[in-house]
Amino acid sequence: MVSLKEVLKGKLSDEELKLVRRSFDIIGDIAQVEIPEELKSKEKIIAEAIMKVHKNVKVVVKKIGPTAGEERIRPVKVIAGEKRTETVHIENKFKFKLDLNKVYFSPRLGSEHLRVINQIKPNEVVFDLFAGVGPFAIPAAKRAKKVVAIDINPYAIKYLKENARINKVENKIEAYVGDCREVVKKHKWKQKADRVIMNLPAHSGEFLDVAFYVAKKGAIVHFYYFLKEEELFEGAVKKIKEAEKEYGRKTRILNKKKCGQLAPRVWRVVIDFKIY
Ligand SMILES: C[S@@+](CC[C@H](N)C(=O)[O-])C[C@H]1O[C@@H](n2cnc3c(N)ncnc32)[C@H](O)[C@@H]1O
């Protein structure tokens, strides 16, 4: 992230500068900014200042709504530069083609993606239940025996397949469009996974049955969840313990950590656990 205020010093009044959000994300060659309503008339100045300082930025978009819907898309509008919302983002040396208005993508999860990927061993079968454009699934396929990647958003799977080709792992990835529960049951993949990735923090608690269904004895699950400060980490552990009882299999918590902030006092957390 880059300080937007630094870029805008001298171009906006001190009062206006106070309204500018502190930082912005760069995804591929697209800068994604938040413009408060009071600065709407200055959005072009803000966008052009960004492009002047960051020569690699070819498009500036502003967020025009919250992350929403099953597909977890955060809509954006182009305010400067080329008229497109598709780009290629490089993360951990892998290339990810994506369209900000068609799929979920956060450039802030790179180190978390890498933490999980680094644990994968060559003989593993990995299930990524909420795969998006593949930031876990594609690097995982470089290391694992096989990756099953599922997403309900057809655009996410279209990009994931293209990204598999770009990164030369298409022979190790099976990609499916659909609700992960339906896809997994349809293919009768009972106890097939050595590792299950569940990055849908707003709803992953509702899909623990899917993880328990595909997990082999000894499989590791990476369970992402949103928690308020006062619920850390019990709110998420409670969900896992409830599932343990419901599905009659033991679990062991391996690791729990914060991996990003959603709002003041609200965290994205990950719990890694084993299913026996
Ligand atoms: C938070 S994104 C995570 C994407 C990717 N794993 C990442 O780390 O960037 C969650 C994804 O889950 C997908 N999704 C939501 N509900 C789903 C469901 N029931 N079955 C499969 N995918 C689902 C969304 O379309 C979205 O791409």
Side-chain angles (χ1 to χ4, degrees):
M1 279 191 279
V2 192
S3 167
L4 188 48
K5 289 196 183 185
E6 281 299 310
V7 175
L8 285 167
K9 261 191 200 137
K11 294 194 170 70
L12 300 186
S13 71
D14 287 353
E15 280 311 302
E16 287 168 338
L17 267 178
K18 278 189 200 145
L19 296 170
V20 173
R21 299 276 192 277
R22 237 182 309 137
S23 52
F24 58 92
D25 287 323
I26 298 181
I27 303 163
D29 60 1
I30 303 181
Q32 182 179 258
V33 294
E34 268 183 66
I35 307 275
E37 210 34 51
E38 303 91 309
L39 289 181
K40 199 167 180 292
S41 63
K42 299 286 165 75
E43 67 184 27
K44 198 87 181 154
I45 295 175
I46 297 172
E48 276 162 6
I50 291 171
M51 290 179 70
K52 204 163 171 196
V53 172
H54 297 277
K55 302 283 183 215
N56 55 333
V57 169
K58 301 283 182 265
V59 185
V60 180
V61 299
K62 69 169 178 180
K63 297 175 184 172
I64 54 169
T67 304
E70 261 184 334
E71 296 90 357
R72 313 305 298 149
I73 295 166
R74 175 144 211 191
V76 297
K77 182 173 175 236
V78 176
I79 55 171
E82 296 171 21
K83 299 266 172 290
R84 60 176 162 85
T85 49
E86 187 180 74
T87 189
V88 177
H89 183 76
I90 298 178
E91 181 180 278
N92 303 321
K93 299 191 183 149
F94 289 84
K95 289 183 181 162
F96 298 100
K97 196 167 175 183
L98 60 106
D99 187 322
L100 291 173
N101 273 338
K102 291 184 174 160
V103 297
Y104 170 91
F105 189 79
S106 169
R108 300 184 194 181
L109 290 174
S111 56
E112 179 54 24
H113 292 145
L114 190 61
R115 185 189 71 87
V116 169
I117 291 152
N118 281 342
Q119 297 174 34
I120 296 171
K121 300 190 189 65
N123 57 347
E124 285 188 15
V125 175
V126 178
F127 275 62
D128 188 352
L129 301 182
F130 310 104
V133 299
F136 283 112
I138 282 164
K142 262 289 191 255
R143 295 173 68 105
K145 184 161 90 187
K146 182 176 114 173
V147 174
V148 174
I150 307 170
D151 203 287
I152 205 157
N153 178 355
Y155 290 111
I157 294 297
K158 171 187 133 353
Y159 281 112
L160 183 140
K161 285 182 174 167
E162 192 169 348
N163 292 330
R165 276 193 297 278
I166 295 171
N167 293 286
K168 302 190 170 46
V169 292
E170 67 268 47
N171 58 339
K172 289 217 254 162
I173 289 207
E174 283 179 31
Y176 299 90
V177 177
D179 168 65
C180 61
R181 183 176 288 115
E182 285 169 20
V183 173
V184 156
K185 298 261 158 90
K186 183 175 158 209
H187 288 83
K188 301 191 174 64
W189 283 316
K190 203 170 165 70
Q191 299 201 12
K192 286 284 188 285
D194 297 288
R195 188 176 299 274
V196 185
I197 301 169
M198 302 184 73
N199 185 16
L200 181 62
H203 298 287
S204 49
E206 299 151 34
F207 289 92
L208 278 165
D209 62 305
V210 184
F212 276 73
Y213 181 81
V214 289
K216 272 183 194 166
K217 191 171 180 325
I220 292 174
V221 181
H222 304 282
F223 177 69
Y224 294 85
Y225 206 63
F226 289 134
L227 283 180
K228 296 198 185 111
E229 184 88 27
E230 59 273 21
E231 298 173 315
L232 290 171
F233 288 88
E234 292 320 307
V237 171
K238 194 167 153 246
K239 282 270 165 204
I240 296 162
K241 293 295 163 194
E242 281 168 8
E244 181 187 73
K245 279 207 189 88
E246 190 167 350
Y247 306 112
R249 290 173 73 184
K250 282 274 168 229
T251 63
R252 182 160 63 90
I253 306 291
L254 303 173
N255 175 44
K256 29 189 180 183
K257 76 178 199 57
K258 291 179 191 167
C259 53
Q261 196 161 10
L262 181 72
R265 300 178 57 80
V266 183
W267 299 91
R268 176 192 286 108
V269 303
V270 58
I271 312 279
D272 301 332
F273 67 97
K274 249 186 186 194
I275 301 185
Y276 293 100

